[in-house]
Amino acid sequence: MFCERGAVEDIEQALARSASVAGDERPIVRCLRLSAEGAHAFCRGDLISARAKLRQAIALTQPASEVPFRRAWLRALLRIEVAAADFDAVEDLRQQIADLPGHAGDIELQGEIAHSRAAEDFHRGGAAASLRTLAAMVEQLPFGRPQACARLDAAWLHLEDGGVARAEQLLAGLGAWRREHPAGLAVDARLQFALGRPDEGDGLTGAHLQREAV
């Protein structure tokens, strides 16, 4: 949750409180610690370290009994490679995931895969291509992180193209994702600006909005 909010200091405090297990060599404990350290690096913008930590965690999940954990950390690594716009690595990860038992029934994982395709579509084909993939995600996925992220991304792209009404529809009902998540706050502020109500974007200034967009 701290990673989702980009709360670097909170992650650091959590890591400090978990120092008592730092020397525990059991694979599951090491995996959890590595994934937390990877989240910390990711939120600091250090994608190289984040990638390395997640790959170490994944390497510890070879036994069949640990496949669910392997899926979880492959999902996290997929998000990092998308952030790095390394779509060759993204495709390799999608293939690794396709070879794992149970991947098709993992909604969070399938959502992350779909989101990676939307990001790749944007990278290679622009907003229109990405919006088609995002629209399919909104239509097909149950409500949760993947659908919420798809709604936020689609709303931003629609706002950039002047589609204010469609953006409002996509943001409706997002609840805390709109009121508390950094991306939700940024998109909502952008919407309020488009509606001529810049003071109603939950306190986000234009400068903050510009940073979020970057």
Side-chain angles (χ1 to χ4, degrees):
M1 185 174 289
F2 291 148
C3 181
E4 195 71 62
R5 291 169 48 198
V8 175
E9 291 183 0
D10 288 330
I11 296 174
E12 290 171 351
Q13 290 176 14
L15 284 169
R17 288 196 295 272
S18 70
S20 61
V21 300
D24 193 321
E25 291 300 308
R26 287 175 296 172
I28 184 58
V29 177
R30 289 182 62 198
C31 280
L32 289 167
R33 177 89 185 178
L34 285 164
S35 66
E37 292 171 350
H40 181 227
F42 182 67
C43 290
R44 289 187 289 107
D46 185 353
L47 298 183
I48 293 174
S49 294
R51 180 188 290 124
K53 294 290 185 181
L54 265 297
R55 286 179 174 167
Q56 289 179 59
I58 290 165
L60 293 171
T61 59
Q62 296 298 334
S65 61
E66 294 175 358
V67 165
F69 294 107
R70 189 174 183 82
R71 291 202 306 264
W73 286 308
L74 280 169
R75 183 177 77 231
L77 182 56
L78 184 61
R79 195 180 307 173
I80 289 168
E81 298 296 8
V82 167
D86 187 344
F87 292 107
D88 289 335
V90 166
E91 180 55 35
D92 179 65
L93 285 173
R94 288 194 293 236
Q95 185 56 55
Q96 289 184 51
I97 291 166
D99 293 336
L100 281 177
H103 73 91
D106 188 328
I107 298 299
E108 286 285 317
L109 183 56
Q110 290 304 313
E112 202 68 53
I113 290 170
H115 203 256
S116 76
R117 295 192 188 285
E120 186 171 7
D121 288 342
F122 183 81
H123 181 76
R124 301 191 190 285
S130 183
L131 276 169
R132 287 192 291 272
T133 304
L134 292 169
M137 289 178 66
V138 172
E139 179 79 18
Q140 297 168 11
L141 292 175
F143 186 75
R145 183 188 187 281
Q147 194 203 88
C149 290
R151 285 179 178 271
L152 292 173
D153 284 350
W156 184 275
L157 292 176
H158 280 294
L159 285 168
E160 289 295 289
D161 195 39
V164 177
R166 180 56 180 150
E168 282 190 289
Q169 291 175 349
L170 287 162
L171 294 177
L174 278 182
W177 285 95
R178 180 175 179 175
R179 297 190 308 270
E180 299 179 27
H181 192 279
L185 289 169
V187 178
D188 186 67
R190 177 70 177 82
L191 172 64
Q192 300 308 323
F193 183 82
L195 292 171
R197 302 195 297 257
D199 295 331
E200 296 183 25
D202 282 330
L204 286 181
T205 65
H208 181 94
L209 175 58
Q210 189 63 36
R211 288 197 300 273
E212 289 291 345
V214 171

